[in-house]
Amino acid sequence: MSNETPAESRKARAARRAGEFPPPPEPLPTPVIDSHTHLDITLNEGGTDGPDSVEAAIALARQVGVDRLVQVGVDVDSSRWGVEVARKHPAVVATVALHPNDAPRLPDLDAALREIEALAAEPRVRGIGETGLDTFRTGEEGRAAQEASFRAHIGFAKRYGKPLVIHDREAHTDVLRVLDDEGAPDTVVLHCFSGDAEFARECVRRGYVLSFAGTVTFGSAGALREAAVVTPPDQLLVETDAPYLTPTPYRGRPNASYLIPLTVRALAEVKNVDLAELCAAISATGDRVFGPW
């Protein structure tokens, strides 16, 4: 029985539910990796009835077949925090970076980049990102700083032999241009892949890894599902980007690593492949990209 009053509007009901984490889905037959999550933001801003500590987030994810997490840095503080979490928890590895939308706002970009470079040498840091380009939120006035930051991160990835984790929002052509200019690292991961099948084919041809988030389950994401179809299993990862991009049927509510099975099952259906086989491929790709946990 609903406890909503008749006078309560749909908007009010949606706002009230937005802070509630969804229930755990059916476990996966084979464990997989969450290749991109923000545990710090999830714990601080997520909502109710969900994980309330790093330990709880790891345990809840493990119960549904998500046994490894990549904690992603977006600034100096979150990158430092991620390194500390990865040192304490064997299920977690970290990436470090300045988010492309933050780079133009920093009072001293060079100093921040030096701190990220120092963190990049840490053994539990297994990637450089999320870095990249975003022409959706950053206007022309910030593009030069954003691109300079991206180029610096590419250098860190090559210098330390670690994968580059790219944030690409409405900047496909420019992302490829900068990678070509600088020379791409051995391993490139396009986080929350947002391109169509044509762009996916180009990235696959270059050997890049495409990481799909809950957006692939959205009703309006037909082009993204077509991109997933043309992505080989050994170049495919899955992620939450938690606490954002919660898969359907819980879109709009907080996300966390334990909801990965919803996205994996959607991908298996879209690609018309066996679920257990897809899980095994995702797991193997995660180990190849980020190394042994």
Side-chain angles (χ1 to χ4, degrees):
M1 179 183 293
S2 172
N3 62 3
E4 297 163 356
T5 63
E8 189 176 27
S9 70
R10 178 180 294 181
K11 184 176 181 180
R13 290 197 300 271
R16 182 168 57 79
R17 288 175 175 151
E20 299 172 2
F21 279 90
E26 182 181 350
L28 293 169
T30 303
V32 301
I33 171 183
D34 181 353
S35 73
H36 192 112
T37 190
H38 303 281
L39 287 166
D40 48 340
I41 306 175
T42 301
L43 296 176
N44 290 331
E45 302 177 13
T48 60
D49 298 326
D52 57 4
S53 67
V54 171
E55 292 80 5
I58 293 169
L60 191 57
R62 185 176 288 120
Q63 289 171 14
V64 297
V66 183
D67 63 347
R68 289 152 291 162
L69 314 180
V70 180
Q71 163 62 24
V72 175
V74 295
D75 56 24
V76 171
D77 287 344
S78 64
S79 295
R80 287 175 179 156
W81 186 87
V83 171
E84 290 303 314
V85 168
R87 285 172 176 166
K88 295 175 183 176
H89 299 280
V92 180
V93 296
T95 73
V96 298
L98 308 177
H99 193 282
N101 287 324
D102 288 345
R105 305 171 187 155
L106 293 171
D108 192 338
L109 176 58
D110 288 341
L113 286 169
R114 286 194 295 271
E115 296 204 50
I116 294 299
E117 183 176 13
L119 291 170
E122 289 278 344
R124 294 296 290 173
V125 170
R126 301 294 179 78
I128 307 301
E130 62 185 280
T131 182
L133 300 175
D134 187 322
T135 62
F136 181 78
R137 295 200 181 279
T138 295
E140 287 292 339
E141 70 284 353
R143 301 275 171 82
Q146 188 177 85
E147 186 168 315
S149 178
F150 184 27
R151 290 177 184 272
H153 284 81
I154 293 171
F156 302 158
K158 292 196 291 186
R159 191 167 303 131
Y160 293 101
K162 297 184 178 182
L164 182 73
V165 179
I166 293 179
H167 171 108
D168 164 22
R169 188 163 187 187
E170 298 188 4
H172 304 332
T173 300
D174 284 334
V175 163
L176 296 183
R177 171 182 58 81
V178 174
L179 286 170
D180 288 345
D181 285 351
E182 295 293 326
D186 290 341
T187 304
V188 172
V189 179
L190 287 159
H191 135 69
C192 190
F193 185 79
S194 58
D196 58 13
E198 181 181 359
F199 185 57
R201 288 190 185 96
E202 176 60 26
C203 292
V204 166
R205 184 186 68 79
R206 291 164 174 255
Y208 301 164
V209 176
L210 282 51
S211 183
F212 290 87
T215 43
V216 78
T217 71
F218 295 175
S220 59
L224 186 56
R225 286 186 283 276
E226 292 173 1
V229 169
V230 303
T231 303
D234 63 350
Q235 288 178 257
L236 184 148
L237 285 172
V238 66
E239 65 175 81
T240 54
D241 198 23
Y244 314 111
L245 306 180
T246 311
T248 55
Y250 304 110
R251 184 177 181 180
R253 290 168 66 173
N255 200 5
S257 294
Y258 74 91
L259 295 172
I260 277 279
L262 297 172
T263 303
V264 176
R265 285 191 165 87
L267 284 168
E269 182 176 349
V270 164
K271 293 178 69 64
N272 193 28
V273 296
D274 178 77
L275 177 62
E277 291 180 3
L278 180 61
C279 289
I282 291 169
S283 182
T285 301
D287 282 347
R288 188 182 79 248
V289 170
F290 295 107
W293 259 248

